[in-house]
């Protein structure tokens, strides 16, 4: 019988260094690459690996995440049997940076009891990568290990764990006796009773945990070799489908080495930037090395360099904003930024 995998995505992660972008959303729902969200990568990887049952465990500010994923239709997870499941954490006070909280899982233990999949893959929600988990399952079953922790070729854990579902249930049930609070605790305990193996992944992978590496990872997408590793044709990254018109490039506008999503109106100059859906850029505006999120409005004669505009930001005519690659200038969602405010 074919071995089946259960997908478990821990979406409780929060990093203080991303606070400006997480005021109204969870990290899993952070926009990326113009039309995606961070969670799209791990969720699509699971679907491409043949996983048909995925449980997502969010903590706070998860309305945006649920709106994005909906019933799971865009990932072929809106099914009568198995499918996509949301289990918001009933526990407010726990460390969201420890992947695979047993206390969090325990509140939904019935889900694991009912699952028919022999194995489970437990992952974080904030890694940008493209991986098929099936070869890892084959490697794990041949190795005879109890737990396989996925490591990146550059060293260090990717905070992803493959384990038998029955053993996961046991770890959850015995958490008070063992003192293990999460998967991290188990694999890092040198005296644990389980054999822990490491599987090395040699592909492109970045864990988003700060504004700086969110910005740099986004800018790396403009390199064709990185794009090809993340978006191969045989393993697509799925996302929420939105029916919008093509972007309009007004006569006199200029776009170089940039990604432009649907529904935009470009009057000005865009260079080395990522522009999300529905953005309007006015005449004479210059946008360089920027991430502009959905439905932002940049009026005439603005100059933006190394700037991140969150959704629904309006930048008034003549405004000049500049940051650096190490410290991009961030404007929070729904803010109105005016020239007089920066003079």
């Amino acid at each position: 019988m074919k071995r089946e995998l259960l997908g478990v995505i821990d979406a409780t992660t929060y990093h203080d260094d991303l606070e400006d972008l997480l005021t109204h959303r969870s990290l899993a729902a952070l926009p990326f690459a113009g039309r995606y969200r961070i969670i799209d990568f791990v969720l699509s990887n699971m679907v491409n690996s043949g996983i048909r049952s995925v449980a997502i465990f969010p903590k706070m500010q998860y309305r945006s995440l649920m709106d994005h994923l909906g019933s799971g239709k865009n990932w072929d997870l809106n099914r009568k049997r198995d499918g996509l499941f949301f289990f918001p954490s009933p526990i407010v006070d726990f460390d969201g940076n420890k992947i695979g909280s047993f206390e969090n899982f325990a509140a939904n233990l019935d889900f694991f009891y009912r699952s028919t999949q022999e194995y489970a893959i437990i992952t974080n929600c904030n890694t940008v990568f493209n991986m098929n988990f099936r070869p890892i399952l084959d490697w794990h079953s041949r190795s005879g290990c109890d737990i396989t922790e996925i490591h990146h070729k550059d060293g260090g854990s990717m905070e992803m764990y493959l384990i038998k579902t029955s053993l996961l249930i046991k770890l959850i049930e015995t958490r008070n006796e063992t003192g293990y609070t999460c998967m991290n605790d188990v694999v890092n305990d040198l005296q644990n009773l389980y054999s822990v193996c490491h599987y090395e992944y040699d592909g492109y992978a970045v864990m988003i945990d700060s504004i700086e590496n969110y910005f740099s990872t986004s800018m790396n997408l403009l390199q064709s070799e990185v794009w090809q590793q993340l978006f191969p044709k045989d393993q697509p990254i799925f996302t929420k489908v939105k029916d919008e018109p093509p972007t309009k490039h007004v006569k006199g506008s200029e776009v170089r080495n940039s990604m432009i999503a649907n529904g935009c109106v470009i009057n000005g100059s865009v260079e080395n930037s990522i522009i999300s859906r529905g953005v309007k850029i006015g005449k004479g505006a210059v946008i360089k090395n920027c991430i502009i999120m959905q439905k932002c409005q940049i009026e005439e004669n603005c100059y933006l360099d190394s700037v991140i505009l969150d959704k629904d930001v309006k930048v008034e005519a003549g405004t000049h904003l500049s940051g650096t690659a190490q410290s991009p200038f961030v404007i929070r969602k729904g803010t109105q930024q005016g020239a007089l405010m920066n003079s």
Side-chain angles (χ1 to χ4, degrees), residues 32-33 204 212-224 226 257-259 271-275 288-292 306-308 325 328:
F32 187 79
Y204 183 89
E212 182 181 344
N213 90 332
Y214 170 73
F215 185 78
S216 63
T217 304
S218 297
M219 293 296 104
N220 284 342
L221 293 176
L222 301 176
Q223 302 174 28
S224 60
V226 173
N257 192 41
S258 297
M259 295 167 49
E271 181 180 352
N272 298 326
S273 296
I274 298 174
I275 312 296
K288 300 174 64 176
N289 312 308
C290 291
I291 301 171
I292 312 297
S306 301
V307 173
I308 300 175

Side-chain angles (χ1 to χ4, degrees), residues 52-53 77-85 116-117:
R52 296 294 175 259
S53 183
L77 289 172
N78 58 331
R79 41 186 66 228
K80 292 182 179 179
R81 183 177 180 182
D82 293 329
L84 185 67
F85 301 87
T116 59
Q117 292 78 12

Side-chain angles (χ1 to χ4, degrees), residues 116-185:
T116 59
Q117 292 78 12
E118 183 180 2
Y119 294 89
I121 180 78
I122 304 167
T123 74
N124 62 66
C125 66
N126 57 310
T127 298
V128 175
F129 69 127
N130 195 310
M131 177 194 296
N132 191 317
F133 293 116
R134 184 61 56 178
I136 303 174
L137 175 58
D138 294 339
W139 183 89
H140 174 83
S141 61
R142 291 196 306 269
S143 70
C145 298
D146 295 314
I147 302 170
T148 291
E149 182 180 30
I150 303 174
H151 279 221
H152 192 255
K153 62 181 178 181
D154 296 330
S157 172
M158 291 179 64
E159 297 184 347
M160 300 180 189
Y161 311 93
L162 200 152
I163 184 173
K164 272 197 171 184
T165 306
S166 57
L167 177 54
L168 175 59
I169 291 172
K170 179 181 177 181
L171 290 171
I172 297 169
E173 291 176 331
T174 61
R175 65 194 184 281
N176 293 327
E177 291 79 27
T178 63
Y180 295 141
T181 63
C182 60
M183 289 301 302
N184 306 60
D185 289 350

Side-chain angles (χ1 to χ4, degrees), residues 241-262:
V241 175
K242 292 187 178 181
D243 296 323
E244 291 178 311
T247 286
K248 180 179 180 181
H249 295 265
V250 179
K251 185 177 180 180
S253 64
E254 184 179 7
V255 176
R256 289 185 292 179
N257 192 41
S258 297
M259 295 167 49
I260 313 288
N262 293 347

Side-chain angles (χ1 to χ4, degrees), residues 20 25-26 47 52 73 86 114 136 144 154 158 160 174 182 210 217 225 250 253 299 304 340-341:
D20 286 337
R25 63 171 71 91
S26 66
V47 171
R52 296 294 175 259
K73 179 180 178 180
F86 283 92
R114 293 195 304 268
I136 303 174
D154 296 330
M158 291 179 64
M160 300 180 189
T174 61
C182 60
S210 68
T217 304
E225 61 272 21
V250 179
S253 64
E299 296 185 344
L304 277 62
L340 293 177
M341 298 168 62

